[in-house]
Amino acid sequence: MVGGTGETSYAKNSIIQAKVILKAKPIVEEAIREVYRTLFPMKFVAADLGCSSGPNTFLVISEIISVIHELSRPLDISHEPEIQFFFNDLPGNDFNNIFRSLMDYKKQIKEDKGENFVPFYVAGSPGSFYTRLFPSKSVHFFHSSYSQMWLSQVPRRVDDDSTFDELKKENLYSEQFKEDFSTFLKLRSKELIFGGRMVLTIAGRVNNSEYKDPFYMLGLLRLALNDMISETPTIEELKSIIDQKEWFFYLDHVETLESSWDPFEDELNNLQHDYILRGKIVVKYIQAAVEPLLIGHFDKETIADLFSRYAKIITTHLAEKPKWVNFVLVLKLR
């Protein structure tokens, strides 16, 4: 993601992701309650995988603090619980931005919860979540939102054979997703404590004409760039991977949530029909996420021209009020 706090940074252009996290909040909180009621851990260990940076980074730890604060206060326990929270993302993530914001966040929690809030400690855990990140059976709760769609690599054969047609390339991307998601499940099953939970929110697709393919939006970027291929999973594909017994997980709960391409669709008032301005706003959110993928291939002027063209294309679609489709999965160990 684009680091820092500039105009096109992820920190300033991640309201779409924030709204999805907030829609999933009841599911996340109930999963945390189940873990706490089942295990009553004195040291609750949690990790946000693909945390990125900016204001969204602290949403999940806030949910954990609130739930444990709520559940632990009425209990007659000799030692108050503590929370160890890990922020995970690739080493190039803007961890500095996260930790610069930490003191302000702790001050806010103190104001919201009073002096007796649940003590919490945070640490960074840089690395790909397609590798081992934590000791065996050490984590009570994993959370990840809008991260599993990112593959570990471009499928190996895509660049090897320029004669592949579009369908063959899409199949290769689909196979890469299955391989990556299976690896992800296998690794987390080794790290998650029995009785723990993992909540994943993944952009997906449904066979329903009411919705556009969720990455149709990025497909429109292809019209400007003329080279963009995306593949996202259906809920059936996700279930088929999870149901493989060697990954040791079963699906405890699943919900489908929708979210608008335009995070301000219901809030713009007089700008409701100013699709040109709204197109520019929406494109900033996409640019914050995908620009780092393009920097190695194009100069700044070309990238600026690309996203200018992209904004014009997006504008022509906003009147349809297009939506993303998101699957929220709660997983338990078998």
Side-chain angles (χ1 to χ4, degrees):
M1 306 300 170
V2 177
T5 56
E7 186 178 345
T8 60
S9 67
Y10 185 82
K12 286 193 174 179
N13 295 281
S14 51
I15 292 179
I16 291 174
Q17 294 88 335
K19 289 197 169 187
V20 172
I21 291 173
L22 292 174
K23 282 189 174 187
K25 181 178 178 180
I27 303 171
V28 172
E29 290 185 336
E30 182 57 29
I32 297 166
R33 287 189 185 95
E34 287 297 317
V35 176
Y36 193 77
R37 288 168 178 159
T38 302
L39 301 176
F40 291 105
M42 286 295 95
K43 295 180 177 59
F44 189 96
V45 180
D48 192 18
L49 307 176
C51 65
S52 196
S53 63
N56 295 356
T57 308
F58 294 99
L59 290 178
V60 176
I61 187 173
S62 294
E63 293 170 6
I64 294 172
I65 291 170
S66 293
V67 170
I68 294 182
H69 180 87
E70 164 202 330
L71 294 179
S72 65
R73 291 308 159 204
L75 298 177
D76 183 16
I77 50 180
S78 57
H79 297 89
E80 64 179 351
E82 299 175 309
I83 298 169
Q84 174 69 68
F85 192 84
F86 290 96
F87 292 113
N88 160 258
D89 214 312
L90 295 172
N93 184 54
D94 193 353
F95 285 100
N96 286 336
N97 182 279
I98 296 174
F99 291 110
R100 277 196 297 266
S101 305
L102 186 57
M103 294 309 298
D104 288 339
Y105 175 73
K106 288 185 174 181
K107 181 179 178 182
Q108 176 190 328
I109 289 293
K110 189 173 182 179
E111 291 174 355
D112 292 344
K113 304 294 183 186
E115 293 290 341
N116 296 321
F117 64 90
V118 179
F120 65 96
Y121 308 92
V122 302
S125 179
S128 168
F129 50 54
Y130 296 123
T131 64
R132 279 292 299 269
L133 295 168
F134 302 100
S136 297
K137 306 302 177 190
S138 63
V139 180
H140 296 93
F141 182 74
F142 280 117
H143 174 270
S144 190
S145 182
Y146 270 35
S147 296
Q148 275 64 54
M149 305 96 68
W150 297 99
L151 303 180
S152 64
Q153 62 181 31
V154 174
R156 286 176 286 275
R157 294 173 59 199
V158 165
D159 292 330
D160 294 342
D161 191 339
S162 60
T163 65
F164 277 160
D165 61 27
E166 295 299 297
L167 182 58
K168 287 182 180 178
K169 287 186 176 181
E170 287 182 6
N171 287 336
L172 289 175
Y173 275 87
S174 180
E175 289 301 315
Q176 184 67 51
F177 172 80
K178 291 175 183 176
E179 179 183 330
D180 284 343
F181 193 51
S182 296
T183 298
F184 176 86
L185 293 175
K186 180 180 180 181
L187 297 173
R188 302 294 82 76
S189 71
K190 295 178 183 296
E191 298 166 346
L192 191 66
I193 291 171
F194 190 80
R197 297 288 191 283
M198 179 163 65
V199 178
L200 309 176
T201 301
I202 303 174
R205 55 192 168 90
V206 294
N207 298 318
N208 186 330
S209 60
E210 179 184 352
Y211 299 102
K212 291 186 181 295
D213 185 297
F215 271 63
Y216 176 80
M217 189 180 189
L218 292 182
L220 296 178
L221 181 58
R222 180 179 169 188
L223 298 179
L225 183 61
N226 200 30
D227 186 21
M228 186 73 182
I229 300 171
S230 297
E231 177 70 12
T232 53
T234 64
I235 190 61
E236 290 77 17
E237 289 170 336
L238 289 169
K239 286 180 178 178
S240 70
I241 298 172
I242 294 168
D243 284 343
Q244 297 178 53
K245 289 184 171 54
E246 59 264 38
W247 309 141
F248 307 108
F249 281 105
Y250 72 88
L251 194 57
D252 185 50
H253 181 74
V254 60
E255 284 193 27
T256 301
L257 305 177
E258 67 174 38
S259 56
S260 174
W261 284 12
D262 182 353
F264 300 109
E265 182 176 88
D266 300 321
E267 304 166 18
L268 286 172
N269 299 321
N270 294 334
L271 298 178
Q272 193 73 18
H273 301 292
D274 189 345
Y275 294 119
I276 294 176
L277 176 58
R278 288 170 58 190
K280 291 178 179 178
I281 292 172
V282 170
V283 163
K284 282 185 180 180
Y285 289 85
I286 299 300
Q287 184 174 357
V290 305
E291 183 179 296
L293 301 177
L294 307 175
I295 287 174
H297 305 280
F298 303 96
D299 58 36
K300 290 183 179 180
E301 290 74 19
T302 302
I303 291 175
D305 183 45
L306 165 67
F307 284 105
S308 176
R309 293 169 185 262
Y310 184 36
K312 293 175 183 177
I313 295 169
I314 288 291
T315 295
T316 65
H317 291 266
L318 290 181
E320 304 170 26
K321 296 188 175 181
K323 309 290 184 185
W324 300 89
V325 176
N326 311 289
F327 303 127
V328 185
L329 314 174
V330 181
L331 287 81
K332 289 177 64 176
L333 291 171
R334 292 181 185 274

